[in-house]
Amino acid sequence: MWSDAGADAPRCPGSGGAAAPAAPLADGWPHGLALCPTCLRFVPLEDGLLVDHDTSDPADDLGRAREWFNTRGW
């Protein structure tokens, strides 16, 4: 059985890495967010670095992310 005691920390190891804003869709989404190459989430940048973030967030707009990947690719 899985328990939190043996789980990895929720913080993404890609946090703090250098990145650039992702190419926008026609409506501007993801509005300046960058794609984290480690967890594949769209996260804000601070001074060209990915802000500290968890590997998942239930508030993410997965439909928009799916559209972005289908339009822009990996």
Side-chain angles (χ1 to χ4, degrees), residues 4-22:
D4 287 342
D8 292 335
R11 183 175 178 265
C12 177
S15 296

Side-chain angles (χ1 to χ4, degrees), residues 43-73:
V43 296
L45 292 167
E46 187 173 291
D47 298 324
L49 302 176
L50 297 167
V51 298
D52 285 347
H53 62 281
D54 289 346
T55 56
S56 66
D57 184 345
D60 283 348
D61 189 344
L62 299 179
R64 296 309 316 262
R66 184 179 313 112
E67 179 183 355
W68 189 92
F69 284 111
N70 286 336
T71 302
R72 298 290 178 179

